[in-house]
Amino acid sequence: MRRNSKPLTTARRWLALTLMLFAGLAVQLQAQSYDTLLKDGHVIDPKNGIDQVMDVAILDGRIARVASQIPDNQAEEVIDVSGMIVSPGLIDLHGHLFHLEVTRAVFPDIFTFRNGITTIVDGGTSGWRNFPLFKEQTIDNSRTRVLAFLSIVGVGSSYKNDLGVSQSRIATQDHYDMNPVLTAMRVEEYPGIIVGVKAQHYKGPDYTPELRAVEAGEIAGVPVMVDFGEHRPMRSLDKLLNEILRPGDMFSHTFSNTGGRETVVDENRQVRPFVKEAQDRGILFNVGHGGGSFIWWQVVAAAEQGFWPDIIDTDTHTSSMNGGMKDMNNLMSKYLTVGMSIPDIISRTTWIPARSIQREDLGHLTEGAVADIAVFSIREGEFGFIDSRGRVMEGTRKFESELTLKDGRVMWDLNGVSARPWDENNENY
């Protein structure tokens, strides 16, 4: 028996050593559970009711965990975002991105990530006739997620004739090219990419574009967005909002004050009763700032009466970027200035727009969701915010995008919070 005791003891030692090695490997693997960890940021995730300091862990391009005090050693990369706001990647429901309209369209990657935007929706610049070209030209070549409202006009709002002359204002008057069946067929051909139908820039006395857009929306099961104005004679806004549009449809350029359209706030600075009625029954009111659709006296009077837009979107094009609108962060800062809370601003730029276009896979930080994340600082100082008529309102707080991740990858880093320090003694980094 003693002769066998030595080999048995040795075998047990080897077994113990092997178990220790495997245990150490298991601990090491557990310590490297995540690709990236955003540490100690103030997480605001309206869908999930989160509004507190938490950590966000990312694995394989998706949200792996949102919790307090996730150990640093569980992530390959740890990014300190303490003192910053961490939100889902922003969704801008209104841009113009189709480059047939070369004087106004903007390529999305130029401005999206630097504003925390990970998804942008083209606002009806293409129609059923030319959407495939728009997809090939812009959607397929953008790192930003690009979706689209399809114009009820077959050639969209960016059509140019053979001489290169813009025909958008002519094309949008053409009843013949407003085909709800062919529009719906194109929507159904690209589910989840074409997310709605747009009616816009119509000057006639009738409601043909809106009615046909709603018909297409009914066939395809998608919402409608309406740019309503420029009409001679003026058409009834009440009829549009409370008789033609359906709950879930969207009214763009809410705070515009242009000829040919009733304002939502009347000449006595009162929100029109039928506007509140429409919002109560589910019509969504979008900002759609653009070049001419954000007037301070409209915005402030509405805010004072508790009438807030449901969705904050930009109507980005070259003119609006260089005018009062500037960018999404500037627009968010305007609402901060007039008293909207930060969580409400985040909600109106993430979860509400995602839900409105039936893309509920976006706009939140649920575990398993795509890791589209925006990180902001709130700068304090003296700032001026300009409306569409060149009037300025002073403010003391301003959104600034620090970091943007799409599919878990850093796409924008303003101050290098995700970067490693440079080493003056190492030229080979």
Side-chain angles (χ1 to χ4, degrees), residues 22-82:
F22 274 110
L25 179 60
V27 170
Q28 185 178 4
L29 289 173
Q30 184 179 10
Q32 297 285 320
S33 299
Y34 309 117
D35 298 325
T36 306
L37 180 63
L38 301 182
K39 193 73 179 171
D40 293 331
H42 186 141
V43 177
I44 299 178
D45 179 6
K47 178 190 175 183
N48 292 303
I50 300 174
D51 184 2
Q52 65 185 82
V53 174
M54 300 186 84
D55 301 337
V56 180
I58 300 166
L59 179 65
D60 295 333
R62 294 194 170 270
I63 304 296
R65 190 180 176 199
V66 180
S68 299
Q69 299 301 311
I70 299 174
D72 290 9
N73 65 357
Q74 291 187 9
E76 182 177 341
E77 178 185 25
V78 178
I79 302 175
D80 181 4
V81 291
S82 55

Side-chain angles (χ1 to χ4, degrees), residues 98-101 122 124-139 148-160 168 171 177 182-183 186 189-190 194 200:
F98 188 17
H99 286 261
L100 284 181
E101 194 175 20
D122 182 81
T125 325
S126 68
W128 67 265
R129 295 182 185 272
N130 52 16
F131 176 80
L133 176 60
F134 170 55
K135 183 176 184 297
E136 177 184 358
Q137 175 204 87
T138 302
I139 295 177
F149 281 91
L150 197 66
S151 174
I152 189 59
V153 178
V155 296
S157 65
S158 63
Y159 174 67
K160 291 181 179 294
S168 62
D177 208 29
L182 293 176
T183 298
R186 189 65 86 187
E189 186 180 355
Y190 296 94
I194 302 176
Q200 59 199 332

Side-chain angles (χ1 to χ4, degrees), residues 80-101:
D80 181 4
V81 291
S82 55
M84 303 178 194
I85 295 168
V86 178
S87 84
L90 304 188
I91 301 171
D92 187 352
L93 282 196
H94 198 156
H96 290 281
L97 316 171
F98 188 17
H99 286 261
L100 284 181
E101 194 175 20

Side-chain angles (χ1 to χ4, degrees), residues 68-240:
S68 299
Q69 299 301 311
I70 299 174
D72 290 9
N73 65 357
Q74 291 187 9
E76 182 177 341
E77 178 185 25
V78 178
I79 302 175
D80 181 4
V81 291
S82 55
M84 303 178 194
I85 295 168
V86 178
S87 84
L90 304 188
I91 301 171
D92 187 352
L93 282 196
H94 198 156
H96 290 281
L97 316 171
F98 188 17
H99 286 261
L100 284 181
E101 194 175 20
V102 293
T103 57
R104 299 183 72 232
V106 187
F107 189 73
D109 293 349
I110 293 172
F111 65 90
T112 50
F113 298 127
R114 62 180 53 231
N115 275 274
I117 298 167
T118 53
T119 300
I120 187 166
V121 186
D122 182 81
T125 325
S126 68
W128 67 265
R129 295 182 185 272
N130 52 16
F131 176 80
L133 176 60
F134 170 55
K135 183 176 184 297
E136 177 184 358
Q137 175 204 87
T138 302
I139 295 177
D140 295 344
N141 289 293
S142 300
R143 293 185 297 172
T144 312
R145 182 182 297 101
V146 178
L147 310 175
F149 281 91
L150 197 66
S151 174
I152 189 59
V153 178
V155 296
S157 65
S158 63
Y159 174 67
K160 291 181 179 294
N161 65 19
D162 293 339
L163 298 176
V165 177
S166 175
Q167 300 291 296
S168 62
R169 301 292 168 163
I170 299 173
T172 50
Q173 315 308 309
D174 185 1
H175 289 188
Y176 177 79
D177 208 29
M178 300 175 187
N179 191 312
V181 174
L182 293 176
T183 298
M185 287 176 63
R186 189 65 86 187
V187 174
E188 292 168 346
E189 186 180 355
Y190 296 94
I193 298 176
I194 302 176
V195 294
V197 181
K198 179 85 177 285
Q200 59 199 332
H201 300 167
Y202 185 65
K203 296 184 178 181
D206 54 287
Y207 294 84
T208 301
E210 293 80 16
L211 289 167
R212 293 189 184 178
V214 168
E215 184 180 349
E218 288 280 357
I219 297 170
V222 295
V224 166
M225 180 187 286
V226 174
D227 172 351
F228 192 74
E230 309 177 33
H231 312 112
R232 301 291 190 273
M234 188 181 294
R235 297 185 294 170
S236 168
L237 181 58
D238 187 1
K239 180 175 180 178
L240 172 75

